[in-house]
Amino acid sequence: MTFLKSAFAAAALAVSSAAAWEINVSASGGNATSGHQYGFLHEDINNSGDGGIYAELIRNRAFQYSEAYPVSLDGWHSVNDAQLTLNRLELPLSDALPVSVNVAPGTVCGNIGIANDGYWGMDVKVQKYTGSFWVYGAYEGNFTASLQSLLTDDVFGSVEVVSKSVADDWVEHEFELIPDMDAPNSNNTFSITFDAEGAASGSLDFNLISLFPPTYKNRKNGLRLDLAQALEELHPSIIRLPGGNMLEGLNNKTWWDWKDTLGPLRYRPGFQGVWDYQQTHGLGLLEYLQWAEDMDLEIVVGVFAGLALNGDITPKDKLQPFIDDALDQIEFIIGPVDSEWGAVRASLGHPEPFRLKYIEIGNEDWLAGGDAGWQSYMEYRLPMFQAAINEAYPHLQVVASGSSHEGLEVPEGVLGDYHPYRTPDELVEEFDKFDNDVGHIIGEVAATHPNGGIGWDGELYTFPWWIGTVGEAISMIGYERNADRIPATFYAPILRNMNRWQWAMTMLQHAADPAMTTRSTSWYLWELIAAHPMTHTLPAEGELGPLYYVSGKNEDKGSFIWKGAAYNTTDSAPIPVTLNFEGVEQGTKALLTMLTNSEEDPYAYNDPHEGNNVVDRTTFVLTANDEGAFEFEMPELSIAVLDTHLDCPNPSKKKRAVLN
Ligand code: AHR
């Protein structure tokens, strides 16, 4: 498409001479749905788990390693010339965490120790930090735990921790630290120092050194507050976890083994992941489930289905252990406390079963392993998993990891899963893709590449950008029109640590400094669309394209809802809209919330380094005219939601015009 700059006019209400775009919505006859759900996929990509939503501040806290990532002192440095040596003691902290760091005096007198740079910095504020570390070796004296500047001598806060450590065992030390002042920036470190003269052998071993700021809902081992809040404010109602590619692993021996993620951190070995860094497994299955519970999210849980990213395919006669493992996983999530895995869940503090509806078998099985992988999925892997899950848990909805568009004949009773990462034009072209299809979830969707580029052979765009966001809006509207068969749509992936990332296009960008937390253009779209759930879609008469829309009602609120977006309008002119809901009378009020791009640049984006926001969110209270219709204009590349329920969440106070 050729884009001509539009005169965006906050003139959503201006009277245009062009003929009105008439939309007549019937009061009944559409699809009753249980509501189309909007949410996101989370996997640890872009350091979006460790160093992202998982609030741990210490990087490489337990010297974990894997075949792909050798053990190292990454993130650590010595204090006062201490000698740091990675050590494999005869008595390790646990089999899962066999490597510790030995801290011995160097050539300089005085207290020695270790310091950690965090996930590329640490946010230090006057708030309660909760920490712990394990020590091996007899020591009489105090440890000093401090938060300090990496650039200056400033110490923002410290606490003395009395030693409990002994000669031949590991002893945990816990502490709380409230800094006396906020740090001016995030170039900070955390250190533990001690007087080596008090150490019987002259040195000490440390492992599992952990420090958490206050977390979302005050969960121990919980989520980073600002990121969780930004996600909660999206009004999500569903989460897909734990991947994505992360579920599949690099090979059939290193997939995301949920059993390794349970229980005390001391027993979690970590995981090499698939995104170029070692992961801690701190954000484990239970933490994911608590996240879902705390945000009141439905869950799609992916279970490993015997295919890894390198194309390792599990043969039919070796598949059963993976099926058993998936059944155990389901039992862990929803089994009664007297079941084997329900009892484990209860022992970890959650006797109540979690809420669970969807089980996805694998991830993108049409991709890794090529044709052989996909054939094995269709021939025996999907059928074997499906049969076992249907038998044990007939009420659960099984989801296959591919769609009819990759040639899957989606079995009766199963939903497919479609993952469109597309250009904006392609998303618009796919608006009606599911009009005559069987049920699917849209497990991952995002605008990723600019129009007219070279697609997957090229780079993803820099950040979510305005025209991409409008393309997403149109695809979302297309899915919601088919909400009776397409129950949920997920943005993916959602988070990107600006210091180490593999995938540019994410809903939120972040770094150690919370000032870098940036809501992308897509965040504003998804927030708006999700804030107005429909319980029914309603049939509407009117043309589609370049104005795309879905109409419906929310029976719980007694409201009519319309969601629309304009893309590639004639001469980039605004589209005058006359929207008529059957039964709506003259004088009825509706809230119209419109998103446009304040820079009038389709390539504009929200840049964490700039702290800008190119999305203009405007709300208007409209009054139905004497024919009961609402009249407004949709500028080129605009997105809007009209809702006759005026008490909508978060109507912007930025601009509010009252008509009539
Ligand atoms: O969201 C990023 C990746 O894209 C997911 O891990 C994978 O499922 C898809 O290919």
Side-chain angles (χ1 to χ4, degrees):
M1 130 179 183
T2 317
F3 179 79
L4 299 173
K5 272 199 171 179
S6 75
F8 273 130
L13 306 172
V15 179
S16 159
S17 55
W21 195 287
E22 294 250 358
I23 304 169
N24 292 304
V25 183
S26 304
S28 60
N31 296 316
T33 74
S34 52
H36 186 78
Q37 294 186 280
Y38 289 103
F40 40 76
L41 162 74
H42 186 269
E43 66 182 309
D44 198 341
I45 178 176
N46 291 337
N47 276 101
S48 67
D50 294 329
I53 194 142
Y54 180 52
E56 173 66 83
L57 292 174
I58 308 297
R59 179 155 56 105
N60 193 19
R61 66 184 175 192
F63 316 102
Q64 289 159 302
Y65 60 94
S66 53
E67 200 182 331
Y69 306 107
V71 64
S72 79
L73 282 167
D74 178 42
W76 293 99
H77 57 262
S78 80
V79 177
N80 207 17
D81 197 37
Q83 301 299 303
L84 307 186
T85 315
L86 290 169
N87 209 3
R88 285 172 186 270
L89 289 173
E90 210 167 296
L91 179 71
L93 177 57
S94 66
D95 289 347
L97 302 180
V99 179
S100 47
V101 62
N102 180 266
V103 183
T107 52
V108 181
C109 302
N111 286 6
I112 57 167
I114 41 173
N116 188 274
D117 298 340
Y119 286 95
W120 308 287
M122 276 180 213
D123 181 41
V124 176
K125 287 201 173 60
V126 182
Q127 59 184 1
K128 186 159 77 181
Y129 293 79
T130 309
S132 58
F133 55 92
W134 290 79
V135 183
Y136 183 95
Y139 170 55
E140 279 188 24
N142 283 357
F143 297 98
T144 307
S146 314
L147 281 164
Q148 62 220 10
S149 172
L150 185 64
L151 306 177
T152 68
D153 292 335
D154 289 338
V155 176
F156 305 110
S158 67
V159 65
E160 296 294 299
V161 184
V162 180
S163 169
K164 298 184 286 179
S165 60
V166 297
D168 297 319
D169 207 353
W170 283 96
V171 178
E172 187 177 26
H173 295 76
E174 294 177 307
F175 63 91
E176 289 177 357
L177 198 174
I178 303 179
D180 307 318
M181 64 186 106
D182 291 354
N185 55 54
S186 60
N187 287 312
N188 306 310
T189 65
F190 169 75
S191 69
I192 300 173
T193 54
F194 63 99
D195 178 0
E197 304 236 323
S201 72
S203 69
L204 294 173
D205 270 71
F206 292 81
N207 204 348
L208 191 50
I209 300 147
S210 172
L211 186 70
F212 277 79
T215 59
Y216 178 66
K217 307 270 184 193
N218 292 316
R219 287 267 188 204
K220 192 168 184 214
N221 198 41
L223 306 184
R224 177 170 149 174
L225 207 45
D226 65 328
L227 296 180
Q229 277 166 351
L231 292 175
E232 184 179 48
E233 287 168 22
L234 276 170
H235 321 292
S237 57
I238 193 161
I239 182 171
R240 183 169 166 259
L241 59 90
N245 290 155
M246 196 180 93
L247 171 71
E248 301 170 81
L250 294 180
N251 57 56
N252 259 2
K253 292 200 178 85
T254 61
W255 49 285
W256 194 82
D257 188 342
W258 62 277
K259 287 177 182 162
D260 282 348
T261 75
L262 301 179
L265 299 180
R266 184 181 180 183
Y267 301 114
R268 302 191 197 186
F271 170 55
Q272 71 183 8
V274 302
W275 293 109
D276 300 336
Y277 55 92
Q278 177 70 23
Q279 297 174 16
T280 66
H281 264 340
L283 181 59
L285 180 58
L286 185 67
E287 287 75 21
Y288 269 122
L289 297 172
Q290 287 170 334
W291 172 357
E293 186 170 81
D294 288 345
M295 285 189 195
D296 195 18
L297 306 177
E298 187 66 78
I299 297 169
V300 177
V301 68
V303 295
F304 180 68
L307 175 73
L309 286 183
N310 69 345
D312 275 357
I313 303 165
T314 308
K316 193 172 180 182
D317 61 353
K318 299 265 178 348
L319 196 62
Q320 192 58 41
F322 293 120
I323 296 172
D324 294 342
D325 207 71
L327 294 174
D328 288 349
Q329 187 170 358
I330 298 170
E331 188 174 278
F332 178 81
I333 301 171
I334 59 171
V337 288
D338 57 0
S339 64
E340 182 188 349
W341 284 98
V344 174
R345 185 193 65 239
S347 75
L348 296 175
H350 203 289
E352 289 304 313
F354 286 96
R355 178 173 150 207
L356 179 66
K357 183 165 172 193
Y358 299 97
I359 302 290
E360 183 158 0
I361 314 302
N363 178 67
E364 294 186 346
D365 282 77
W366 47 275
L367 195 53
D371 196 43
W374 195 211
Q375 288 306 323
S376 71
Y377 188 76
M378 294 191 280
E379 279 167 27
Y380 64 88
R381 291 190 295 116
L382 175 61
M384 285 172 71
F385 272 90
Q386 186 198 345
I389 294 169
N390 283 347
E391 191 186 333
Y393 299 99
H395 66 287
L396 292 183
Q397 173 65 59
V398 171
V399 180
S401 76
S403 77
S404 50
H405 305 285
E406 287 96 33
L408 177 69
E409 216 170 288
V410 182
E412 183 80 26
V414 171
L415 292 173
D417 181 2
Y418 186 60
H419 292 180
Y421 291 113
R422 299 281 184 269
T423 67
D425 275 359
E426 287 166 342
L427 287 171
V428 174
E429 278 157 24
E430 292 194 357
F431 171 72
D432 57 359
K433 196 168 187 82
F434 288 95
D435 283 2
N436 296 300
D437 207 335
V438 293
H440 285 79
I441 62 166
I442 311 301
E444 302 176 24
V445 58
T448 43
H449 293 80
N451 289 333
I454 49 175
W456 276 108
D457 292 331
E459 298 271 306
L460 272 60
Y461 198 54
T462 322
F463 293 107
W465 72 118
W466 183 244
I467 190 171
T469 294
V470 180
E472 280 167 22
I474 290 166
S475 68
M476 292 161 80
I477 290 167
Y479 309 138
E480 191 159 356
R481 284 171 77 229
N482 292 295
D484 56 327
R485 284 166 291 109
I486 312 293
T489 303
F490 304 75
Y491 187 92
I494 42 171
L495 295 166
R496 168 183 174 194
N497 188 315
M498 293 305 298
N499 287 289
R500 184 167 69 188
W501 52 272
Q502 299 78 36
W503 187 284
M505 220 49 62
T506 58
M507 188 78 93
L508 295 168
Q509 335 299 325
H510 61 91
D513 181 356
M516 288 281 282
T517 298
T518 304
R519 297 170 189 215
S520 67
T521 53
S522 293
W523 187 95
Y524 290 90
L525 159 69
W526 285 67
E527 186 277 334
L528 175 62
I529 296 276
H532 300 270
M534 298 177 182
T535 57
H536 295 67
T537 57
L538 292 172
E541 273 179 25
E543 277 184 66
L544 285 165
L547 180 64
Y548 301 85
Y549 50 86
V550 57
S551 315
K553 61 182 172 180
N554 184 315
E555 283 209 331
D556 303 331
K557 293 186 176 166
S559 62
F560 288 106
I561 298 166
W562 179 89
K563 303 178 184 181
Y567 187 96
N568 211 3
T569 65
T570 309
D571 298 330
S572 295
I575 301 174
V577 179
T578 302
L579 173 63
N580 199 313
F581 288 99
E582 186 185 358
V584 164
E585 293 176 356
Q586 177 183 8
T588 301
K589 304 271 190 215
L591 185 76
L592 179 74
T593 308
M594 182 156 297
L595 304 182
T596 51
N597 158 224
S598 57
E599 302 200 352
E600 303 187 20
D601 172 6
Y603 290 92
Y605 50 74
N606 294 346
D607 185 337
H609 302 287
E610 303 286 331
N612 62 332
N613 181 12
V614 303
V615 181
D616 214 353
R617 185 181 195 275
T618 317
T619 57
F620 308 91
V621 177
L622 305 186
T623 306
N625 65 18
D626 52 7
E627 288 171 0
F630 298 106
E631 294 176 298
F632 53 94
E633 282 196 342
M634 293 287 292
E636 164 66 339
L637 295 185
S638 63
I639 300 162
V641 172
L642 180 140
D643 193 331
T644 60
H645 182 78
L646 290 193
D647 188 21
C648 302
N650 295 326
S652 158
K653 294 200 174 78
K654 199 168 163 193
K655 286 185 190 168
R656 193 174 171 93
V658 180
L659 289 191
N660 301 344

